[in-house]
Amino acid sequence: MIVCGAGSSGSVVAGRLAENPDVSVLLIEAGGEDTAPGVTDASLWSTNLGSERDWGFRALPNAHLNGRSLPMSMGKVLGGGSAINVMVWARGHRSDWDFFAAASGDPGWGYDSVLDIYRRVEDWHGASDPQYRGTGGPVFVAPAQEPSPLAPATVAAAGSLGLPVFDHPNGRMMEGDGGAAISDLRARNGKRQSVFGSYVYPYLERPNLTVLTHATVTRVIVEANRVTGVEIYQQGTTIAVGADVEVVLSLGTVHTPKVLMYSGIGDAAELNRWGIPVRQHLPGVGRNFQDHVGISCVWENRVPLSPRNNSSESTVYWRLSDSENPDVFICHVEVPLNSDETAARFGVPASGWSLFGGLAHPKSRGRLRLTGSNPLDPIDIDANTFSDPDDIKTAVRCVEFCREIAYSGPLRPFIRREVMPGDLTGRHLEEFVRNAAVTYWHQSATAKMGLDSMSVVDGALRVYGVQNLRIADASIMPAITTGNTMAPCVVIGERAADMVIDAHGL
């Protein structure tokens, strides 16, 4: 069994399969070890950005962002995104999972079934809530411990505006309009708990599990519409490795469709452009790109406050439009967040905090395109952020809502002055949003699950028209989930592992 990618889904698949000593598992990762302080120390997560543990992607210049090109970090290390991210555990909303079920025709993706998975895998260290939380599983989760006073003040500020306040954000809060809560984190005693550490480390000494690092998967090997192995580039050499059972691609939203296309699986017109023989025409490969875009509003601290835990310890989800579900989410960040453009205009205070507002369900869709015939050539990411005018409207409302929260009362004692955006309105506020927008690093949906002609995998995560090949990562999302995507990726990995085990009687 070959699993490509040791991130938040691939680590789950490999670890679950390796539980059976009779199953031989090869886990392939392009990055290296996960021992750097930026990985292990929860407070140093931002040092991973732009490091050797970051693929360092950059989207194409975007006219809707005034020609800006957004950097898009993705994990290149054991643990993938779960080794470099902000460690927030956000399960997604009931409506997200019910949409997965409807899109795939498989009720096993529905909220009630997924809630069972979350209860099974969690090791919850917060207030007892057996209806929603589980204990004893591999995934340590806890509310932010001894948070900065800014965190409970943010929750109270949202409550003062009429939002419901919850003990944690991963139960009833994700079944209705939303609310506010102290964030759930994957950090323990100041140390990151990556998905690789939770699922693979316990089996590393087993002879049936091999973890290969610094190895880039370039193609799957397809013979008569059946995948028989993978092609790997390592230390200047290309080698082929055969698979006796299946290959699971868990390379993420950029590299999974890239490998598919170089394997001859994708839009025939795109493949023909680069002389790649077409094995299976699937026009949806690389399309439907989605991401959570965030806009940071910044205030200077009245007195300096040091960040704690992961520097982001409270969260707000809410519905600002006629949507039936939350359409924005806001993370309180205990440092001033800026884009290059807003930092140049507004400046960066020595001590400050941010309300980082995100679009939960952007309508804009992007696309990935090859740039050459060599699998090692870079890929173009046309994120197409704000191409749908409704998204810019929602983003403006979100910024206005962030300012309402900040000035509602409980956060006022922490404000010396507002750094940005200030009292901008109309086109000036819209211009601020276009210049402030950055990614939440939640890229998704480029090999979506579904039943229509643009779907790439079915409800069992099998690639249409190709045998012995499944995909398990954020690329299969038919629509991006509400909030951070690590927890949904764990569910995707759990479901993929169960499907492989059931299919082959493992």
Side-chain angles (χ1 to χ4, degrees):
M1 185 76 202
I2 297 178
V3 181
C4 305
S8 297
S9 297
S11 293
V12 176
V13 177
R16 291 268 280 107
L17 293 174
E19 292 174 2
N20 184 342
D22 295 327
V23 178
S24 177
V25 180
L26 172 63
L27 177 59
I28 304 169
E29 169 57 43
E33 298 295 325
D34 56 352
T35 54
V39 174
T40 58
D41 187 332
S43 67
L44 298 179
W45 68 266
S46 63
T47 64
N48 294 302
L49 306 181
S51 75
E52 63 183 6
R53 298 175 294 283
D54 178 3
W55 280 101
F57 297 119
R58 183 173 285 272
L60 295 174
N62 184 346
H64 306 290
L65 299 176
N66 294 328
R68 298 169 56 226
S69 173
L70 297 187
M72 293 194 166
S73 296
M74 289 190 186
K76 186 182 181 183
V77 61
L78 292 174
S82 76
I84 73 168
N85 66 8
V86 195
M87 293 155 283
V88 173
W89 182 255
R91 292 177 172 182
H93 193 270
R94 171 190 286 277
S95 60
D96 299 332
W97 295 108
D98 288 344
F99 180 76
F100 276 38
S104 65
D106 179 0
W109 287 106
Y111 177 77
D112 291 337
S113 296
V114 166
L115 181 58
D116 287 340
I117 295 174
Y118 278 128
R119 282 192 295 249
R120 185 180 78 225
V121 305
E122 278 189 353
D123 186 20
W124 168 242
H125 286 254
S128 178
D129 187 359
Q131 182 178 353
Y132 291 101
R133 311 309 300 244
T135 57
V139 178
F140 176 92
V141 185
Q145 301 299 295
E146 299 181 2
S148 163
L150 284 162
T154 301
V155 175
S160 73
L161 295 176
L163 277 67
V165 171
F166 295 88
D167 290 336
H168 58 81
N170 284 307
R172 288 188 302 115
M173 183 166 149
M174 284 293 95
E175 294 183 344
D177 290 340
I182 298 297
S183 298
D184 286 352
L185 303 183
R186 291 272 290 134
R188 186 172 196 168
N189 298 325
K191 299 298 181 182
R192 175 190 300 274
Q193 306 295 296
S194 80
V195 179
F196 181 85
S198 298
Y199 276 88
V200 181
Y201 262 96
Y203 303 106
L204 277 179
E205 301 303 318
R206 289 197 174 187
N208 66 316
L209 173 63
T210 300
V211 178
L212 184 63
T213 57
H214 301 291
T216 300
V217 177
T218 54
R219 293 185 178 95
V220 295
I221 301 168
V222 185
E223 299 177 3
N225 283 351
R226 177 185 293 270
V227 168
T228 60
V230 299
E231 184 180 273
I232 302 169
Y233 181 81
Q234 187 182 42
Q235 297 180 339
T237 302
T238 299
I239 59 175
V241 181
D244 292 334
V245 182
E246 287 190 22
V247 171
V248 177
L249 292 182
S250 299
L251 299 169
T253 293
V254 172
H255 278 123
T256 285
K258 182 181 181 183
V259 166
L260 288 175
M261 288 189 276
Y262 279 113
S263 306
I265 303 167
D267 188 333
E270 176 76 0
L271 304 184
N272 290 334
R273 189 160 68 100
W274 300 107
I276 300 171
V278 179
R279 299 285 188 173
Q280 180 66 34
H281 172 57
L282 289 177
V285 173
R287 294 183 183 265
N288 197 44
F289 178 95
Q290 298 169 45
D291 190 16
H292 288 139
V293 59
I295 303 96
S296 185
C297 304
V298 177
W299 288 264
E300 184 176 10
N301 277 320
R302 187 177 295 275
V303 295
L305 287 172
S306 298
R308 300 183 188 177
N309 290 297
N310 66 338
S311 305
S312 178
E313 303 171 299
S314 58
T315 188
V316 177
Y317 293 81
W318 199 237
R319 179 170 60 88
L320 297 180
S321 68
D322 57 1
S323 168
E324 295 181 358
N325 310 299
D327 54 7
V328 299
F329 65 103
I330 300 165
C331 292
H332 189 288
V333 183
E334 295 152 17
V335 295
L337 292 180
N338 305 270
S339 69
D340 291 342
E341 290 75 13
T342 56
R345 175 178 173 183
F346 295 93
V348 182
S351 176
W353 51 271
S354 311
L355 290 178
F356 190 39
L359 276 62
H361 296 287
K363 295 181 179 180
S364 302
R365 298 290 182 265
R367 183 180 181 183
L368 309 182
R369 288 185 173 90
L370 302 181
T371 64
S373 58
N374 188 326
L376 299 179
D377 288 335
I379 190 166
D380 278 345
I381 304 173
D382 181 8
N384 214 20
T385 305
F386 288 156
S387 57
D388 191 301
D390 285 348
D391 287 348
I392 194 76
K393 294 174 184 175
T394 302
V396 167
R397 286 197 295 268
C398 185
V399 168
E400 293 170 339
F401 186 50
C402 287
R403 297 186 74 236
E404 286 184 51
I405 292 173
Y407 292 116
S408 64
L411 279 169
R412 279 185 174 272
F414 300 95
I415 297 175
R416 179 180 179 185
R417 67 182 177 95
E418 182 175 353
V419 178
M420 64 180 186
D423 56 359
L424 300 177
T425 59
R427 65 180 180 85
H428 299 292
L429 181 54
E430 180 179 313
E431 194 72 2
F432 166 78
V433 166
R434 295 187 190 278
N435 285 325
V438 295
T439 173
Y440 249 99
W441 309 297
H442 297 164
Q443 298 87 358
S444 310
T446 52
K448 75 167 187 170
M449 174 176 62
L451 303 172
D452 64 14
S453 62
M454 297 302 290
S455 296
V456 177
V457 298
D458 63 14
L461 305 180
R462 298 170 296 204
V463 175
Y464 281 113
V466 183
Q467 298 180 48
N468 294 348
L469 180 62
R470 294 182 208 250
I471 298 175
D473 58 32
S475 71
I476 68 94
M477 294 182 179
I480 194 169
T481 52
T482 304
N484 309 67
T485 52
M486 172 173 58
C489 282
V490 169
V491 165
I492 291 168
E494 284 281 350
R495 291 225 70 207
D498 286 343
M499 291 163 178
V500 172
I501 291 168
D502 291 345
H504 301 280
L506 301 179

